[in-house]
């Protein structure tokens, strides 16, 4: 095939060797042969005999394009009986009027594929007539139909080579994608295993129903729903010799890193309790030092809002900065306790003791303390509106006479109905602590 193309390139010009898929008719070797229509026919026959590859002649009248006579039509008519007598010595105008062939004319910027397809749609008797090509300078050229078809064949070969190269490139790309997918699957499997371990560890450290039931003076209900497999919310309820320490916090963000952060906080709090640290300022400040040093080592930007409540026989000591605490009295009245001035975010600064200002409160029998993270107040309805603090307070007031489990259930059910299946963007944590009335039942609803 290449030898054949080389031979044809030698015959028809070297243009065939440099064709691309965007080549036009002007890129082919075109013939520039024209005669005036007044020239006798013998001149044309003589030119055809001397130039066997000339496809035809462009006829001019007073220097302007008039038409075209193909080599094939000229020799066919001259070879007929009386053809020489009729047209050999007469002007080419006579031969042109006798031929009467429709000529296909294309602009030079016409794509080769387009012209070849249209030429092949001609009638059989005109199929091999040459084309007239009009160039941008206004001049006319001739194009042999055989040269056009050979160019089309050459372009098909070029297209086939490109398609094969694209196929090979695609195969290589698919192989690379498959390799990346396998590596990604392995990495996801590893990360999933790590996340699962962190999730299980986080859940194992949460207080159980049995733990909560051991606190004689308080009816406690707890709820946590992480937005990701590993949450960034923290809560714990830790009985000790001097009462109960209750903690609730919210790490910035959620996911694996935030989950590890909550485990560090829980461990540090338990360690301080074991060391019998009772002063709330020293407790929070030491906790902050520990977490801050770990955050620095991890090169992390996480920090934690945290409220700690020390409870003993109806007395509450609240310290640390977090969401507002809700103190729901037995008669249905409700106090919103702002914690902004009670502390400072944990892990944000090395020294926070000057910001810690504990607050003393009394929890009477039948009173309830409600603690939560912003995943509740900032939960969104389908229209984007937040659940909000006021709606939380309204639900709490309506259920002031209920036990802790019933209050918690009412809040969560109202919240779920409000968001109506909308995506949860942040972890949701709720603690309900109700001081029992004398002789009251356990907190289970």
């Amino acid at each position: 095939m290449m030898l054949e193309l080389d031979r044809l390139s030698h015959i028809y010009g070297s243009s065939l060797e440099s064709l691309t898929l965007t080549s036009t008719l002007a890129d082919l070797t075109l013939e520039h042969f024209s005669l005036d229509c007044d020239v006798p026919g013998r001149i044309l026959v003589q030119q055809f005999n001397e130039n066997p590859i000339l496809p035809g002649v462009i006829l001019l009248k007073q220097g302007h394009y008039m038409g075209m006579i193909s080599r094939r039509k000229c020799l066919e008519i001259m070879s007929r009986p009386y053809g020489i007598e009729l047209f050999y010595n007469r002007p080419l105008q006579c031969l042109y009027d006798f031929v009467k062939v429709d000529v296909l004319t294309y602009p030079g910027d016409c794509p080769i594929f387009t012209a070849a397809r249209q030429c092949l749609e001609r009638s059989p008797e005109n199929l091999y007539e040459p084309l007239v090509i009009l160039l941008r300078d206004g001049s006319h050229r001739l194009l042999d139909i055989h040269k056009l078809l050979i160019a089309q064949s050459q372009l098909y070969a070029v297209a086939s080579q490109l398609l094969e190269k694209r196929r090979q490139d695609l195969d290589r790309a698919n192989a690379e994608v498959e390799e990346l997918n396998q590596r990604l699957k392995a990495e996801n499997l590893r990360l999933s295993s790590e996340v699962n371990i962190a999730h299980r560890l986080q859940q194992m450290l949460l207080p159980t129903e049995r733990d909560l039931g051991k606190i004689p003076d308080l009816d406690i209900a707890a709820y946590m729903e992480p937005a990701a497999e590993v949450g960034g919310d923290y809560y714990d309820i830790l009985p000790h010799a001097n009462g109960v320490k209750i903690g609730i916090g919210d790490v910035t963000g959620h996911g694996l890193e935030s989950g590890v952060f909550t485990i560090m906080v829980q461990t540090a709090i338990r360690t301080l309790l074991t060391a019998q640290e009772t002063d709330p300022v020293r407790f929070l400040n030491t906790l902050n030092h520990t977490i801050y040093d770990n955050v620095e080592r991890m090169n992390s930007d996480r920090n934690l809002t945290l409220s700690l409540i020390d409870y003993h026989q109806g007395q509450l000591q609240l310290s640390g900065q977090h969401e507002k605490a809700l103190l729901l009295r037995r008669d249905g009245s409700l106090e919103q306790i702002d914690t902004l001035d009670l502390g400072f975010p944990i892990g944000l600064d090395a020294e926070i003791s000057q910001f810690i200002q504990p607050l003393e409160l009394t929890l009477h029998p039948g009173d309830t303390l409600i603690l939560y993270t912003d995943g509740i107040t900032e939960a969104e309805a389908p229209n984007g509106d937040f659940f909000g603090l006021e709606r939380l307070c309204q639900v709490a007031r309506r259920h002031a006479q209920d036990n802790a489990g019933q209050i918690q259930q009412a809040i969560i059910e109202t919240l779920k109905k409000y968001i109506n299946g909308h995506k949860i963007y942040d972890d949701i944590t709720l603690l309900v602590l109700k001081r029992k009335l004398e002789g009251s039942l356990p907190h289970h609803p």
Side-chain angles (χ1 to χ4, degrees), residues 313-326:
Q313 296 180 353
Q315 297 304 306
L316 291 173
Q317 191 176 58
L318 180 61
S319 59
Q321 186 184 102
H322 186 57
E323 304 297 320
K324 290 182 178 180
L326 304 181

Side-chain angles (χ1 to χ4, degrees), residues 14-15 96 142 161 177 199 204 219 230 263 317 357 377:
S14 60
S15 61
Y96 178 72
L142 287 177
Q161 292 172 0
V177 170
H199 173 72
M204 288 167 59
D219 178 16
V230 179
I263 294 172
Q317 191 176 58
Q357 301 290 333
T377 54

Side-chain angles (χ1 to χ4, degrees), residues 142-437:
L142 287 177
L143 175 60
D144 190 344
I145 186 64
H146 297 89
K147 185 185 297 184
L148 176 63
L149 297 179
I150 292 168
Q152 181 192 40
S153 177
Q154 174 82 335
L155 291 182
Y156 276 131
V158 172
S160 297
Q161 292 172 0
L162 286 176
L163 286 174
E164 177 61 21
K165 185 178 183 303
R166 293 288 175 85
R167 185 192 65 78
Q168 293 174 359
D169 291 344
L170 185 60
D171 287 344
R172 283 194 294 270
N174 286 336
E176 292 175 1
V177 170
E178 179 61 25
E179 181 183 356
L180 289 173
N181 281 338
Q182 294 301 323
R183 289 165 58 186
L184 185 60
K185 287 180 182 178
E187 182 67 12
N188 284 341
L189 204 61
R190 182 185 68 80
L191 288 176
S192 177
S193 177
E194 292 179 359
V195 168
N196 184 53
I197 292 171
H199 173 72
R200 290 175 59 191
L201 183 58
Q202 191 178 47
Q203 294 299 309
M204 288 167 59
L205 294 176
L206 291 176
T208 65
E209 290 287 330
R210 183 177 178 181
D211 295 332
L212 301 183
K214 292 179 180 179
I215 302 172
D217 195 27
L218 291 177
D219 178 16
I220 304 174
Y223 179 90
M224 175 184 279
E225 181 178 347
E229 190 169 355
V230 179
D233 281 1
Y234 160 81
Y235 82 88
D236 208 351
I237 298 166
L238 302 167
H240 55 91
N242 299 318
V244 181
K245 183 171 284 290
I246 300 151
I248 185 167
D250 185 2
V251 181
T252 53
H254 47 265
L256 182 59
E257 187 176 342
S258 295
V260 171
F261 198 108
T262 65
I263 294 172
M264 290 192 304
V265 170
Q266 200 261 8
T267 303
I269 289 176
R270 281 184 173 272
T271 301
L272 287 167
L273 278 179
T274 302
Q276 298 183 354
E277 177 60 73
T278 58
D279 181 80
V281 176
R282 288 198 303 269
F283 195 103
L284 265 177
N285 196 48
T286 305
L287 171 65
N288 178 72
H289 271 302
T290 302
I291 299 304
Y292 181 81
D293 289 344
N294 275 354
V295 167
E296 288 287 297
R297 173 176 289 185
M298 293 165 58
N299 194 26
S300 172
D301 61 352
R302 296 289 196 269
N303 59 79
L304 169 83
T305 61
L306 175 69
S307 282
L308 292 178
I309 298 96
D310 289 292
Y311 175 82
H312 180 66
Q313 296 180 353
Q315 297 304 306
L316 291 173
Q317 191 176 58
L318 180 61
S319 59
Q321 186 184 102
H322 186 57
E323 304 297 320
K324 290 182 178 180
L326 304 181
L327 185 55
L328 179 64
R329 297 300 183 183
R330 183 181 179 185
D331 61 4
S333 61
L334 186 144
E335 302 173 31
Q336 298 183 16
I337 303 170
D338 197 337
T339 64
L340 183 64
D341 295 329
L342 304 186
F344 197 78
I346 303 299
L348 194 60
D349 195 87
E351 177 61 46
I352 65 169
S353 58
Q354 68 270 27
F355 298 104
I356 303 171
Q357 301 290 333
L359 177 67
E360 301 282 348
L361 297 169
T362 300
L363 193 66
H364 302 288
D367 289 349
T368 304
L369 183 67
I370 300 174
L371 306 170
Y372 56 91
T373 60
D374 60 4
I376 288 183
T377 54
E378 295 180 5
E380 295 183 17
N383 64 0
D385 290 343
F386 288 162
F387 184 72
L389 180 59
E390 185 54 39
R391 191 172 280 104
L392 173 61
C393 294
Q394 290 173 2
V395 179
R397 290 190 195 97
R398 288 198 299 267
H399 295 270
Q401 302 304 316
D402 293 343
N403 62 36
Q406 290 168 335
I407 295 172
Q408 175 218 277
Q409 184 177 1
I411 292 172
I412 297 302
E413 286 181 353
T414 304
L415 175 70
K416 294 288 186 176
K417 184 177 180 181
Y418 179 80
I419 66 177
N420 193 25
H422 192 60
K423 179 179 175 62
I424 296 175
Y425 294 102
D426 200 0
D427 307 320
I428 292 174
T429 299
L430 175 66
L431 289 182
V432 180
L433 316 167
K434 185 162 192 170
R435 187 178 181 190
K436 297 177 182 179
L437 296 170

